[in-house]
Amino acid sequence: MKWKKQILGLQPYQPGKSIEDVKKEYQLDSIVKLASNENPYGYSPKVDEALKNFESSYVLYPDGNASEIREVTASVLGVNEKQLVFSNGTDELIQIISRAMLEHGKNTVMAKPTFPQYRHNAVIEGAEVREVELIDGYHDLHQMLLEIDENTAIVWVCSPNNPTGSYTPKKELQAFLEKVPSDVLVVLDEAYYEYVEEPYDSLPFIEKYPNLVIMRTFSKIYGLASFRVGYGISSEENIQRLESARPPFNTNVLGQLVTSVAMTDQDFVAESRQRNALEREKYYHFCREHNLHFYPSEGNFILIDFERDGDEIAQFLLSKGLIVRSGKALGFPTSARITIGLEEQNERVRNALKEIMVNV
């Protein structure tokens, strides 16, 4: 078989164990999944009502232009409809951008550690990957600028960053955008933007910096991960290019329906943000109380360093019916990333962690 040589050593994404797998393996009835940064408060109640009243046929292809969610999103954000591209989650949008711009002989710059799909897709396309170590969990934008040359096609900035939760300050981001060459695409991944307590509006940057694409998703605070809808915002010219690389009918009919409804319920978004911040603060207190290093997060997760094997931490919690993400696969081998869950779920996690620390 004539596989691309770069595919041969590439490992597929490992999503972690499902709730059903953990139930079977450990013979447990109560399982809490806090590994994938889903919204524990669910989604807008308007979604269920929309699904109950859905009368379209499943026989027909979905709207290839995603017209309804395009109109609603443009209205809520205050952008032109032609400035939006929709995708099967932002994972696919990363794939579309990489497919459109990366190839052998080009390079892409990103932080390390950050969301692994930037690197994954660059490798598939045969591009050189240039990674710059984080500083205290934040992007080293100065060093990232130094890595850019005439062959750089894309620079990725994840803010809030996954897995550290760091939010790039506005002044630093703007200074960075000023210095990036105009023919280098900057992708600002804002998957967790709605969780930021005091966010700045990054959308005006698009008009000032035509080489900027902003990515957002309905999988996180909107609580619609299983419907797989993400989107990009940029200049009309950039969007037109990306549309050429987008597969037809890539967002399904139910995904388009529920996201267009959820986007209008910003009260639910605000409530989720507030409740998340309250529960996240309890983790901060726990870490300070037990002298555990953690990264202050603007997302719905927290990365905690336990100074012992991250897999060991995750495995112990798994035995208690608590699914979290080992930091080993995320570039932090002695840490664990824990999604901020419901109050009772978080309390259950912290009680289990106390058992670990007693045995250190």
Side-chain angles (χ1 to χ4, degrees), residues 75-321:
S75 176
V76 172
L77 298 182
V79 300
N80 189 300
E81 291 184 23
K82 293 181 179 179
Q83 288 184 269
L84 297 168
V85 60
F86 290 88
S87 56
N88 191 266
T90 50
D91 295 288
E92 187 192 43
L93 185 52
I94 294 167
Q95 185 182 58
I96 290 170
I97 294 170
S98 300
R99 184 182 182 189
M101 300 199 72
L102 297 178
E103 60 188 349
H104 181 72
K106 293 184 179 179
N107 68 70
T108 179
V109 178
M110 63 195 68
K112 181 182 180 181
T114 190
F115 189 52
Q117 289 303 297
Y118 314 146
R119 186 183 196 283
H120 187 91
N121 281 280
V123 170
I124 291 174
E125 299 302 332
E128 176 192 354
V129 177
R130 298 183 177 181
E131 298 175 302
V132 177
E133 293 286 342
L134 299 171
I135 298 179
D136 295 328
Y138 285 83
H139 284 55
D140 184 350
L141 296 179
H142 173 71
Q143 187 59 42
M144 289 174 70
L145 278 171
L146 296 179
E147 293 293 331
I148 297 173
D149 63 18
E150 67 276 7
N151 295 317
T152 304
I154 309 173
V155 179
W156 305 87
V157 178
C158 188
S159 181
N161 184 48
N162 180 6
T164 59
S166 60
Y167 185 51
T168 302
K170 181 178 182 179
K171 287 184 178 180
E172 291 184 20
L173 178 62
Q174 187 163 12
F176 177 75
L177 292 170
E178 286 283 350
K179 296 176 182 178
V180 175
S182 60
D183 63 345
V184 175
L185 188 73
V186 178
V187 181
L188 179 62
D189 187 346
E190 293 189 330
Y192 298 94
Y193 173 78
E194 292 87 356
Y195 278 109
V196 179
E197 287 192 79
E198 296 183 9
Y200 54 84
D201 186 2
S202 56
L203 296 180
F205 286 156
I206 290 173
E207 185 174 348
K208 189 171 184 180
Y209 307 104
N211 59 330
L212 176 66
V213 172
I214 296 174
M215 298 195 305
R216 293 183 183 174
T217 183
F218 289 96
S219 296
K220 301 305 178 184
I221 205 165
Y222 287 96
L224 300 171
S226 67
F227 288 98
R228 309 306 299 128
V229 180
Y231 62 99
I233 318 148
S234 191
S235 67
E236 291 186 31
E237 181 180 355
N238 288 339
I239 295 300
Q240 184 178 16
R241 299 296 185 194
L242 293 176
E243 287 284 5
S244 298
R246 178 181 65 83
F249 311 114
N250 61 327
T251 55
N252 67 75
V253 65
L254 292 180
Q256 292 181 25
L257 170 70
V258 298
T259 53
S260 62
V261 171
M263 190 66 160
T264 65
D265 192 353
Q266 292 301 310
D267 288 341
F268 172 80
V269 171
E271 182 182 356
S272 293
R273 177 171 54 250
Q274 292 165 5
R275 296 173 76 177
N276 175 76
L278 179 65
E279 288 301 312
R280 189 175 57 202
E281 190 62 40
K282 294 177 184 178
Y283 272 104
Y284 292 170
H285 178 75
F286 174 84
C287 290
R288 294 184 185 111
E289 184 180 14
H290 295 279
N291 295 314
L292 296 171
H293 179 268
F294 66 95
Y295 291 93
S297 172
E298 289 286 356
N300 65 331
F301 55 88
I302 183 171
L303 184 68
I304 304 173
D305 188 354
F306 295 93
E307 296 186 351
R308 59 193 296 178
D309 190 289
D311 286 351
E312 181 184 332
I313 297 293
Q315 190 62 38
F316 177 81
L317 292 176
L318 201 60
S319 70
K320 300 289 186 179

